[in-house]
Amino acid sequence: QVQLVESEGGSVQAGGSLRLACTASGSSYALTFILNWGWFRQSPEQEREGVAAIGGHSGMTYYADSVKGRFTISRDNDENTVYLQMNNLKPEDSAVYYCAAAFRAGNWASIGTYGYWGHGTQVTVSS
């Protein structure tokens, strides 16, 4: 079993920054097999959407067009932690952000690729 815990989100004004962290716990052996880490978000009006992902071993990164150039995903394999640095935040970035881990290959932005999810953390951006 793998558990994912996101750090607390927060509230910022437009143009501000936040950094989210997600730490995985469980079998250290199992954690070495995480293929991809992902960040998703969901607002009340929209379906859950992929924001960014990073290869657990390759380090390759993927971003939604809406966040390219503003968000940066990174990972610390020694700490089993993935980060999402969010800069120049906009009101439309307001959502509950979820961390996810995938043990199989697939579309990085597809919910079905990921087998483990955190409980989510709220990010609110005011104009």
Side-chain angles (χ1 to χ4, degrees):
Q1 274 288 46
V2 173
Q3 295 81 41
L4 303 177
V5 178
E6 298 100 342
S7 60
E8 187 174 343
S11 297
V12 296
Q13 290 190 328
S17 298
L18 282 174
R19 189 177 81 155
L20 303 180
C22 171
T23 300
S25 61
S27 164
S28 57
Y29 176 74
L31 293 177
T32 62
F33 289 93
I34 293 178
L35 282 181
N36 278 305
W37 298 77
W39 283 100
F40 286 72
R41 66 186 181 187
Q42 187 171 16
S43 60
E45 308 82 28
Q46 296 183 350
E47 295 183 351
R48 193 171 298 189
E49 64 172 354
V51 175
I54 186 167
H57 299 286
S58 69
M60 290 184 64
T61 57
Y62 310 87
Y63 295 95
D65 287 343
S66 59
V67 306
K68 281 181 182 177
R70 300 188 298 121
F71 290 13
T72 303
I73 188 170
S74 60
R75 76 193 194 290
D76 183 336
N77 284 346
D78 291 337
E79 298 295 329
N80 293 313
T81 299
V82 63
Y83 302 95
L84 185 67
Q85 177 66 43
M86 304 182 292
N87 297 329
N88 190 21
L89 282 160
K90 303 176 181 180
E92 52 264 42
D93 294 318
S94 296
V96 177
Y97 282 71
Y98 297 88
C99 171
F103 286 83
R104 62 185 184 94
N107 182 340
W108 74 266
S110 173
I111 294 173
T113 298
Y114 299 84
Y116 294 90
W117 293 83
H119 291 294
T121 187
Q122 179 70 48
V123 170
T124 302
V125 185
S126 58
S127 58

